[in-house]
Amino acid sequence: MKIRKAKKDDLKEIDNVYVKSATDEVSLYYSGDELKKLIFDFSKYKKERLIGFRNSILNKSTYLIVAENNKKIIGFGEAEINKRDKNQGEITFIYLDRDFRGKGIGSKILKELLKWLKQKHVKNIISGCLKDNISSI
């Protein structure tokens, strides 16, 4: 397993991991028709997500990284420095393919993101997750 900075060529694989992981995440809170609508919305906003991931790769105050296993992206994470307060950073998200959860990969991604924020002299770091996302907590 290898962790590296994301590249533009990674966008489709990043989005695939995102959709699968986000579907698992929202299924903690929704079911039936509500869940079907949310899943439909994932396909509806694919272009916007890809633009957002691309912008993260190009933005110097954002660090988007991927975890690879056998050259396949199995997870990714992002950290961002606050534009108005350079002393504040945020772990924006970490997503993992469901087959690779519970193996410490998310923790490795988190450590790499924290390392980057510290190298950028960020003093305060925030993050958040859904209250029922026990593995993230």
Side-chain angles (χ1 to χ4, degrees):
M1 201 264 319
K2 173 181 163 184
I3 295 178
R4 62 169 174 79
K5 190 171 183 345
K7 302 178 289 193
K8 288 184 221 172
D9 292 345
D10 299 328
L11 292 174
K12 287 183 182 176
E13 281 189 85
I14 289 170
D15 192 60
N16 287 337
V17 171
Y18 170 79
V19 169
K20 290 176 188 174
S21 298
T23 299
D24 290 346
E25 192 174 36
V26 297
S27 68
L28 294 171
Y29 297 94
Y30 301 97
S31 61
D33 290 340
E34 288 177 310
L35 182 59
K36 287 178 187 173
K37 183 190 179 319
L38 288 167
I39 292 169
F40 173 76
D41 285 348
F42 287 143
S43 62
K44 184 176 170 183
Y45 295 106
K46 181 175 183 166
K47 182 179 177 183
E48 288 84 353
R49 277 194 317 276
L50 291 172
I51 290 169
F53 292 139
R54 181 181 169 277
N55 289 343
S56 292
I57 291 170
L58 299 174
N59 187 338
K60 291 187 187 296
S61 65
T62 304
Y63 188 50
L64 182 63
I65 59 175
V66 297
E68 284 183 322
N69 186 46
N70 296 323
K71 299 191 180 201
K72 180 182 185 286
I73 294 175
I74 57 168
F76 65 100
E78 180 185 83
E80 184 173 26
I81 299 170
N82 187 306
K83 291 175 181 74
R84 289 180 295 244
D85 181 357
K86 303 290 185 208
N87 287 317
Q88 184 170 324
E90 180 177 4
I91 304 297
T92 316
F93 50 72
I94 297 173
Y95 286 101
L96 289 171
D97 182 287
R98 72 175 57 105
D99 294 334
F100 293 90
R101 294 177 196 153
K103 300 178 186 318
I105 298 167
S107 294
K108 289 179 182 179
I109 291 171
L110 176 61
K111 286 177 186 173
E112 181 66 27
L113 296 171
L114 291 170
K115 179 179 158 185
W116 180 81
L117 287 167
K118 288 176 186 176
Q119 288 172 346
K120 299 293 183 179
H121 308 289
V122 169
K123 305 283 186 251
N124 303 305
I125 301 169
I126 62 171
S127 189
C129 67
L130 296 172
K131 68 180 177 71
D132 291 335
N133 190 339
I134 301 305
S135 59
S136 290
I137 294 167

